[in-house]
Amino acid sequence: MRIYFSLLLLLLTACSCAEKGKVNDKEAISLDDFKSYHLDLNLPKENFIDMIESVELMQFEETDESLLSTIRKINRLDDGFVFHTDKKLGTNEHTTIYFFDVNGNFKNKINRQGQGPEEYSSIEDLWIENGLVAVYSMPKSVIYRYTTEGEFVDSRKLSDQLRVGGIRPYKGGYVAEMNFHSINDTSYYKFVKLNKDLKLEKAYLKYNKAPNGMMMPLAYSTVISYQDGVQLFRVFSDTVYSYQNDEFAPLVHFDFKEDWFWKDKPEPTSKDLQKVEAENNAWVIGMAIGQKHIYADALIGYSHWEYFLIDRMNGKVKRMEMPKGKSVSEEFLYLGWEEDRLMFSVTTSDVSNILSALDENQIKYRQGTTLEKIESSENPVLMWVKFKEGY
Protein backbone atom coordinates (compact mmCIF):
# COMPACT_ATOMS: atom_id res chain seq x y z
CA MET A 1 0.00 0.00 0.00
CA ARG A 2 2.99 2.30 0.43
CA ILE A 3 3.27 2.72 -3.33
CA TYR A 4 -0.24 4.19 -3.48
CA PHE A 5 0.52 6.68 -0.69
CA SER A 6 3.77 7.69 -2.38
CA LEU A 7 2.04 8.24 -5.69
CA LEU A 8 -0.74 10.18 -4.02
CA LEU A 9 1.71 12.44 -2.25
CA LEU A 10 3.51 13.11 -5.51
CA LEU A 11 0.27 13.94 -7.29
CA LEU A 12 -0.98 16.18 -4.51
CA THR A 13 2.00 18.47 -4.96
CA ALA A 14 0.03 19.92 -7.85
CA CYS A 15 -2.63 21.28 -5.49
CA SER A 16 -2.63 24.36 -3.38
CA CYS A 17 -5.06 26.62 -1.54
CA ALA A 18 -4.78 30.35 -1.03
CA GLU A 19 -6.15 33.27 0.89
CA LYS A 20 -9.41 34.77 -0.26
CA GLY A 21 -9.39 38.43 -1.32
CA LYS A 22 -11.55 40.96 0.51
CA VAL A 23 -14.97 41.92 -0.77
CA ASN A 24 -17.28 44.73 0.19
CA ASP A 25 -19.97 44.18 2.82
CA LYS A 26 -22.82 43.79 0.34
CA GLU A 27 -20.94 41.14 -1.65
CA ALA A 28 -19.73 39.36 1.48
CA ILE A 29 -23.25 38.80 2.75
CA SER A 30 -24.30 36.93 -0.40
CA LEU A 31 -21.04 35.36 -1.55
CA ASP A 32 -20.23 33.78 1.78
CA ASP A 33 -23.53 32.00 2.07
CA PHE A 34 -23.05 28.28 1.52
CA LYS A 35 -23.26 27.34 -2.16
CA SER A 36 -22.88 24.15 -4.16
CA TYR A 37 -21.48 24.22 -7.70
CA HIS A 38 -21.83 21.42 -10.25
CA LEU A 39 -18.43 20.67 -11.80
CA ASP A 40 -19.56 18.82 -14.90
CA LEU A 41 -16.79 16.78 -16.53
CA ASN A 42 -18.75 16.82 -19.79
CA LEU A 43 -18.91 20.59 -20.16
CA PRO A 44 -17.29 21.84 -23.38
CA LYS A 45 -13.84 23.24 -22.67
CA GLU A 46 -12.98 26.91 -23.07
CA ASN A 47 -9.44 28.08 -23.75
CA PHE A 48 -7.80 29.50 -20.64
CA ILE A 49 -5.88 32.04 -22.73
CA ASP A 50 -9.11 33.38 -24.27
CA MET A 51 -10.45 34.06 -20.78
CA ILE A 52 -7.54 36.34 -19.82
CA GLU A 53 -7.96 40.10 -19.69
CA SER A 54 -4.41 40.85 -18.58
CA VAL A 55 -1.34 39.36 -16.92
CA GLU A 56 1.48 40.77 -14.82
CA LEU A 57 4.79 38.93 -14.49
CA MET A 58 7.51 39.07 -11.87
CA GLN A 59 10.81 37.24 -11.99
CA PHE A 60 12.24 35.83 -8.76
CA GLU A 61 15.84 37.00 -8.79
CA GLU A 62 18.23 34.13 -9.38
CA THR A 63 21.40 34.18 -7.31
CA ASP A 64 23.64 31.51 -5.84
CA GLU A 65 21.49 31.78 -2.71
CA SER A 66 18.09 31.73 -4.43
CA LEU A 67 17.88 28.84 -6.86
CA LEU A 68 14.24 27.75 -6.66
CA SER A 69 12.09 24.80 -7.66
CA THR A 70 8.28 24.72 -7.39
CA ILE A 71 6.92 27.35 -5.00
CA ARG A 72 4.63 26.23 -2.18
CA LYS A 73 2.57 27.97 0.51
CA ILE A 74 3.41 31.51 -0.50
CA ASN A 75 2.59 34.22 2.03
CA ARG A 76 2.17 37.89 1.14
CA LEU A 77 4.11 40.36 3.25
CA ASP A 78 3.70 44.13 3.30
CA ASP A 79 7.11 44.40 1.64
CA GLY A 80 7.24 41.18 -0.34
CA PHE A 81 6.77 37.41 -0.20
CA VAL A 82 7.84 34.45 1.95
CA PHE A 83 7.57 30.79 0.97
CA HIS A 84 9.31 27.45 0.78
CA THR A 85 9.57 25.09 -2.16
CA ASP A 86 9.30 21.45 -3.14
CA LYS A 87 12.02 18.99 -2.28
CA LYS A 88 14.78 18.82 -4.85
CA LEU A 89 16.92 15.70 -4.93
CA GLY A 90 20.18 16.12 -3.05
CA THR A 91 19.23 19.47 -1.47
CA ASN A 92 17.49 20.79 1.64
CA GLU A 93 15.65 23.44 -0.36
CA HIS A 94 12.23 22.27 0.83
CA THR A 95 13.13 23.21 4.42
CA THR A 96 14.56 26.59 3.42
CA ILE A 97 12.36 29.67 3.81
CA TYR A 98 12.89 32.37 1.18
CA PHE A 99 12.18 36.09 1.36
CA PHE A 100 11.76 38.31 -1.71
CA ASP A 101 10.62 41.92 -2.00
CA VAL A 102 7.58 43.11 -3.98
CA ASN A 103 9.61 43.28 -7.19
CA GLY A 104 11.09 39.80 -6.84
CA ASN A 105 14.50 40.85 -5.55
CA PHE A 106 16.05 38.27 -3.24
CA LYS A 107 16.29 39.48 0.37
CA ASN A 108 17.41 36.53 2.46
CA LYS A 109 16.67 32.94 3.41
CA ILE A 110 16.68 30.91 6.60
CA ASN A 111 16.97 27.20 7.29
CA ARG A 112 16.76 25.83 10.82
CA GLN A 113 16.28 22.19 9.92
CA GLY A 114 17.70 19.74 12.43
CA GLN A 115 16.96 17.72 15.53
CA GLY A 116 17.89 20.33 18.14
CA PRO A 117 15.38 22.07 20.44
CA GLU A 118 15.43 25.21 18.26
CA GLU A 119 15.16 23.35 14.95
CA TYR A 120 12.33 21.89 12.86
CA SER A 121 12.56 18.56 11.06
CA SER A 122 10.08 19.51 8.31
CA ILE A 123 7.67 22.25 7.23
CA GLU A 124 4.01 21.24 7.08
CA ASP A 125 2.67 24.78 7.47
CA LEU A 126 4.19 28.25 7.28
CA TRP A 127 2.77 31.67 8.17
CA ILE A 128 3.69 35.11 9.48
CA GLU A 129 2.55 35.89 13.04
CA ASN A 130 3.22 39.28 14.66
CA GLY A 131 6.19 39.85 12.39
CA LEU A 132 7.68 36.42 13.11
CA VAL A 133 7.98 33.40 10.84
CA ALA A 134 5.96 30.50 12.25
CA VAL A 135 6.67 26.93 11.15
CA TYR A 136 4.52 23.94 12.06
CA SER A 137 6.45 20.66 11.95
CA MET A 138 4.24 17.57 12.12
CA PRO A 139 6.68 14.85 13.32
CA LYS A 140 7.04 16.45 16.76
CA SER A 141 3.77 18.45 16.63
CA VAL A 142 5.61 21.69 17.38
CA ILE A 143 5.17 25.30 16.22
CA TYR A 144 8.54 27.09 15.96
CA ARG A 145 8.89 30.85 15.63
CA TYR A 146 11.85 32.79 14.23
CA THR A 147 12.73 36.32 13.27
CA THR A 148 12.97 37.01 9.55
CA GLU A 149 16.75 36.78 10.01
CA GLY A 150 16.39 33.23 11.32
CA GLU A 151 16.96 33.87 15.02
CA PHE A 152 15.02 31.41 17.20
CA VAL A 153 12.29 33.03 19.32
CA ASP A 154 10.29 30.19 20.87
CA SER A 155 8.59 26.84 20.26
CA ARG A 156 5.25 25.47 21.41
CA LYS A 157 4.28 21.83 21.46
CA LEU A 158 0.75 20.63 20.87
CA SER A 159 -0.88 18.31 23.35
CA ASP A 160 0.46 14.75 23.27
CA GLN A 161 -2.99 13.67 22.08
CA LEU A 162 -2.90 16.00 19.05
CA ARG A 163 -0.98 15.66 15.80
CA VAL A 164 -2.64 17.90 13.27
CA GLY A 165 -2.21 18.16 9.52
CA GLY A 166 -2.56 21.93 9.10
CA ILE A 167 -2.89 24.75 11.61
CA ARG A 168 -3.26 28.56 11.70
CA PRO A 169 -3.67 31.17 14.46
CA TYR A 170 -7.13 32.52 15.19
CA LYS A 171 -8.02 35.16 17.83
CA GLY A 172 -5.39 34.13 20.33
CA GLY A 173 -5.93 30.43 19.70
CA TYR A 174 -5.61 28.12 16.70
CA VAL A 175 -7.77 26.22 14.23
CA ALA A 176 -6.46 22.93 12.84
CA GLU A 177 -7.26 20.16 10.38
CA MET A 178 -6.67 16.71 11.82
CA ASN A 179 -5.54 14.82 8.66
CA PHE A 180 -7.07 11.51 9.83
CA HIS A 181 -5.31 11.61 13.22
CA SER A 182 -7.26 10.86 16.37
CA ILE A 183 -7.87 13.42 19.10
CA ASN A 184 -7.27 10.63 21.55
CA ASP A 185 -7.18 6.86 21.21
CA THR A 186 -10.85 6.62 20.28
CA SER A 187 -12.16 9.96 18.95
CA TYR A 188 -11.72 11.07 15.36
CA TYR A 189 -12.82 14.52 14.18
CA LYS A 190 -11.92 16.39 11.00
CA PHE A 191 -11.28 19.84 12.50
CA VAL A 192 -10.50 21.27 15.93
CA LYS A 193 -10.31 24.62 17.70
CA LEU A 194 -7.41 24.99 20.15
CA ASN A 195 -6.98 27.59 22.88
CA LYS A 196 -3.95 29.84 23.34
CA ASP A 197 -2.16 27.01 25.15
CA LEU A 198 -2.77 24.66 22.20
CA LYS A 199 -5.22 22.58 24.23
CA LEU A 200 -8.40 21.19 22.68
CA GLU A 201 -11.37 23.54 22.95
CA LYS A 202 -13.84 22.31 20.33
CA ALA A 203 -14.02 19.54 17.74
CA TYR A 204 -16.05 19.42 14.52
CA LEU A 205 -17.27 16.76 12.06
CA LYS A 206 -16.83 13.46 13.84
CA TYR A 207 -16.07 10.35 11.81
CA ASN A 208 -18.65 7.61 11.95
CA LYS A 209 -15.82 5.17 12.38
CA ALA A 210 -12.06 5.42 12.77
CA PRO A 211 -10.37 6.01 9.36
CA ASN A 212 -7.94 3.10 9.74
CA GLY A 213 -5.01 5.22 10.85
CA MET A 214 -4.51 6.84 7.45
CA MET A 215 -2.31 9.92 7.33
CA MET A 216 -1.49 12.05 4.32
CA PRO A 217 1.38 14.57 4.40
CA LEU A 218 0.36 17.27 1.95
CA ALA A 219 2.20 19.83 -0.15
CA TYR A 220 -0.61 22.36 0.23
CA SER A 221 -2.17 24.11 3.21
CA THR A 222 -5.49 22.83 4.52
CA VAL A 223 -6.03 25.78 6.88
CA ILE A 224 -5.86 29.21 5.25
CA SER A 225 -6.49 32.78 6.39
CA TYR A 226 -9.97 33.81 5.28
CA GLN A 227 -11.37 37.29 5.98
CA ASP A 228 -11.59 37.47 9.80
CA GLY A 229 -11.23 33.73 10.25
CA VAL A 230 -9.88 30.71 8.43
CA GLN A 231 -10.84 28.50 5.53
CA LEU A 232 -10.70 24.74 6.19
CA PHE A 233 -10.27 21.88 3.79
CA ARG A 234 -9.12 18.27 3.90
CA VAL A 235 -7.85 15.70 1.44
CA PHE A 236 -10.51 13.56 -0.28
CA SER A 237 -13.20 16.13 0.54
CA ASP A 238 -15.50 17.99 -1.83
CA THR A 239 -16.45 20.69 0.71
CA VAL A 240 -14.66 23.79 2.02
CA TYR A 241 -15.56 25.07 5.49
CA SER A 242 -15.08 28.40 7.19
CA TYR A 243 -14.43 29.26 10.83
CA GLN A 244 -15.33 32.88 11.60
CA ASN A 245 -16.52 34.58 14.77
CA ASP A 246 -16.21 31.21 16.56
CA GLU A 247 -18.71 29.66 14.15
CA PHE A 248 -17.95 26.60 12.02
CA ALA A 249 -19.94 26.28 8.78
CA PRO A 250 -19.70 24.86 5.26
CA LEU A 251 -18.73 27.46 2.65
CA VAL A 252 -18.44 25.81 -0.78
CA HIS A 253 -19.39 22.38 -2.09
CA PHE A 254 -17.99 21.00 -5.36
CA ASP A 255 -20.62 18.66 -6.80
CA PHE A 256 -19.32 16.10 -9.31
CA LYS A 257 -22.56 14.05 -9.18
CA GLU A 258 -21.80 10.44 -10.10
CA ASP A 259 -18.25 11.33 -11.11
CA TRP A 260 -17.13 11.78 -7.48
CA PHE A 261 -15.10 8.77 -6.33
CA TRP A 262 -15.85 9.17 -2.60
CA LYS A 263 -19.62 9.49 -2.92
CA ASP A 264 -20.28 6.14 -1.22
CA LYS A 265 -17.04 6.00 0.82
CA PRO A 266 -17.45 8.42 3.73
CA GLU A 267 -14.35 7.19 5.59
CA PRO A 268 -11.60 6.52 3.03
CA THR A 269 -9.52 3.38 3.48
CA SER A 270 -6.30 2.15 1.96
CA LYS A 271 -8.29 -0.40 -0.04
CA ASP A 272 -10.24 2.43 -1.67
CA LEU A 273 -7.05 3.91 -3.05
CA GLN A 274 -6.40 0.72 -4.99
CA LYS A 275 -9.66 1.33 -6.91
CA VAL A 276 -8.96 4.91 -7.93
CA GLU A 277 -7.37 4.17 -11.28
CA ALA A 278 -10.02 1.66 -12.31
CA GLU A 279 -13.00 3.89 -11.50
CA ASN A 280 -11.38 6.97 -13.13
CA ASN A 281 -13.50 9.51 -11.23
CA ALA A 282 -12.64 12.81 -9.56
CA TRP A 283 -11.10 12.09 -6.17
CA VAL A 284 -8.65 14.90 -5.30
CA ILE A 285 -9.58 18.59 -5.49
CA GLY A 286 -7.50 21.73 -5.22
CA MET A 287 -8.98 25.20 -5.16
CA ALA A 288 -8.46 28.90 -4.52
CA ILE A 289 -11.42 31.04 -3.45
CA GLY A 290 -11.22 34.62 -4.69
CA GLN A 291 -13.33 37.71 -4.27
CA LYS A 292 -15.40 37.00 -7.42
CA HIS A 293 -14.17 33.65 -8.67
CA ILE A 294 -13.19 30.19 -7.53
CA TYR A 295 -10.46 28.34 -9.37
CA ALA A 296 -10.63 24.58 -8.93
CA ASP A 297 -8.96 21.53 -10.36
CA ALA A 298 -9.72 17.84 -9.93
CA LEU A 299 -7.56 14.78 -10.40
CA ILE A 300 -9.37 12.16 -12.51
CA GLY A 301 -8.10 8.71 -11.58
CA TYR A 302 -4.35 8.79 -12.06
CA SER A 303 -4.64 9.97 -15.66
CA HIS A 304 -5.28 13.72 -15.87
CA TRP A 305 -6.59 16.92 -14.28
CA GLU A 306 -9.74 18.87 -15.04
CA TYR A 307 -9.84 22.66 -14.49
CA PHE A 308 -12.76 24.92 -13.64
CA LEU A 309 -13.43 28.61 -13.13
CA ILE A 310 -16.53 29.45 -11.10
CA ASP A 311 -18.17 32.88 -11.14
CA ARG A 312 -19.33 33.48 -7.57
CA MET A 313 -21.58 36.33 -8.66
CA ASN A 314 -23.83 34.29 -10.95
CA GLY A 315 -22.86 30.67 -10.19
CA LYS A 316 -21.72 29.87 -13.73
CA VAL A 317 -19.02 27.21 -14.13
CA LYS A 318 -16.48 27.12 -16.96
CA ARG A 319 -14.42 24.03 -17.77
CA MET A 320 -11.01 25.16 -18.99
CA GLU A 321 -8.41 23.96 -21.44
CA MET A 322 -5.15 24.99 -19.81
CA PRO A 323 -2.19 26.20 -21.87
CA LYS A 324 -0.18 23.21 -20.72
CA GLY A 325 -1.45 19.96 -19.26
CA LYS A 326 -0.40 19.59 -15.64
CA SER A 327 1.49 16.50 -14.57
CA VAL A 328 3.94 15.65 -11.81
CA SER A 329 6.85 17.04 -13.83
CA GLU A 330 5.13 20.17 -15.14
CA GLU A 331 4.86 23.41 -13.23
CA PHE A 332 1.95 25.69 -14.12
CA LEU A 333 0.56 25.91 -10.62
CA TYR A 334 -1.83 28.33 -8.98
CA LEU A 335 -0.89 29.93 -5.66
CA GLY A 336 -4.04 31.86 -4.76
CA TRP A 337 -5.79 35.16 -5.31
CA GLU A 338 -4.64 38.72 -4.73
CA GLU A 339 -7.78 40.82 -4.92
CA ASP A 340 -9.30 39.87 -8.31
CA ARG A 341 -6.15 38.33 -9.80
CA LEU A 342 -5.07 34.72 -9.60
CA MET A 343 -1.38 34.02 -8.96
CA PHE A 344 0.46 31.26 -10.78
CA SER A 345 3.96 29.86 -10.52
CA VAL A 346 5.12 29.39 -14.11
CA THR A 347 8.32 27.88 -15.50
CA THR A 348 10.38 30.13 -17.72
CA SER A 349 9.89 27.70 -20.61
CA ASP A 350 6.12 28.16 -20.36
CA VAL A 351 6.14 31.95 -20.21
CA SER A 352 6.86 32.48 -23.91
CA ASN A 353 4.10 30.05 -24.93
CA ILE A 354 1.54 31.91 -22.84
CA LEU A 355 2.62 35.42 -23.82
CA SER A 356 2.73 34.58 -27.53
CA ALA A 357 -1.04 34.05 -27.43
CA LEU A 358 -1.68 37.48 -25.87
CA ASP A 359 -1.54 41.02 -27.22
CA GLU A 360 1.18 43.33 -25.97
CA ASN A 361 -1.36 45.57 -24.24
CA GLN A 362 -2.45 42.59 -22.10
CA ILE A 363 1.04 42.09 -20.67
CA LYS A 364 2.67 44.01 -17.84
CA TYR A 365 6.04 43.43 -16.18
CA ARG A 366 6.76 44.31 -12.59
CA GLN A 367 9.62 46.74 -12.00
CA GLY A 368 12.94 45.10 -12.82
CA THR A 369 11.39 42.20 -14.75
CA THR A 370 11.77 41.82 -18.52
CA LEU A 371 11.09 38.95 -20.88
CA GLU A 372 14.80 38.74 -21.61
CA LYS A 373 15.62 38.34 -17.91
CA ILE A 374 12.92 35.71 -17.50
CA GLU A 375 14.23 33.67 -20.41
CA SER A 376 17.78 33.78 -19.04
CA SER A 377 16.75 32.48 -15.58
CA GLU A 378 15.73 29.04 -14.37
CA ASN A 379 13.73 30.35 -11.41
CA PRO A 380 9.93 30.13 -11.68
CA VAL A 381 8.01 33.28 -12.55
CA LEU A 382 5.09 34.68 -10.59
CA MET A 383 2.22 35.52 -12.93
CA TRP A 384 -0.97 37.34 -11.92
CA VAL A 385 -3.97 36.65 -14.17
CA LYS A 386 -7.03 38.87 -14.36
CA PHE A 387 -10.00 37.27 -16.12
CA LYS A 388 -12.30 39.07 -18.52
CA GLU A 389 -15.70 40.28 -17.35
CA GLY A 390 -18.21 37.52 -17.99
CA TYR A 391 -15.76 34.83 -16.95
Side-chain angles (χ1 to χ4, degrees), residues 249-372:
L251 178 65
V252 172
H253 172 238
F254 301 102
D255 185 5
F256 287 90
K257 305 296 183 185
E258 295 303 309
D259 293 319
W260 180 239
F261 177 79
W262 303 107
K263 59 183 178 296
D264 56 354
K265 308 173 183 69
E267 280 82 32
T269 68
S270 58
K271 290 183 178 180
D272 292 328
L273 296 178
Q274 300 178 47
K275 304 174 184 177
V276 166
E277 186 172 10
E279 295 196 19
N280 203 39
N281 285 332
W283 65 293
V284 174
I285 304 174
M287 92 297 297
I289 301 178
Q291 77 178 185
K292 293 184 179 179
H293 294 92
I294 300 172
Y295 178 96
D297 61 17
L299 181 57
I300 311 301
Y302 289 128
S303 63
H304 69 284
W305 295 83
E306 294 285 352
Y307 309 89
F308 299 89
L309 186 68
I310 301 168
D311 189 327
R312 300 186 74 195
M313 309 298 289
N314 58 29
K316 292 183 178 179
V317 178
K318 304 287 186 180
R319 180 172 170 237
M320 297 185 292
E321 181 71 52
M322 299 303 287
K324 181 176 181 180
K326 190 188 337 177
S327 72
V328 172
S329 62
E330 296 170 337
E331 300 171 6
F332 185 74
L333 306 173
Y334 63 92
L335 299 172
W337 295 87
E338 278 197 352
E339 300 297 333
D340 61 346
R341 302 188 302 170
L342 184 59
M343 292 188 295
F344 287 87
S345 171
V346 187
T347 61
T348 54
S349 60
D350 285 338
V351 169
S352 296
N353 294 333
I354 296 170
L355 298 188
S356 64
L358 299 174
D359 295 331
E360 288 187 7
N361 60 5
Q362 293 179 281
I363 304 167
K364 178 181 178 181
Y365 296 94
R366 189 153 288 197
Q367 180 180 337
T369 294
T370 65
L371 182 58
E372 292 74 17

Side-chain angles (χ1 to χ4, degrees), residues 8 90 93 126 136 184 201 225 233 330 349 380 391:
L8 174 61
E93 182 186 334
L126 171 70
Y136 169 63
N184 48 48
E201 192 172 275
S225 298
F233 191 63
E330 296 170 337
S349 60
Y391 288 102

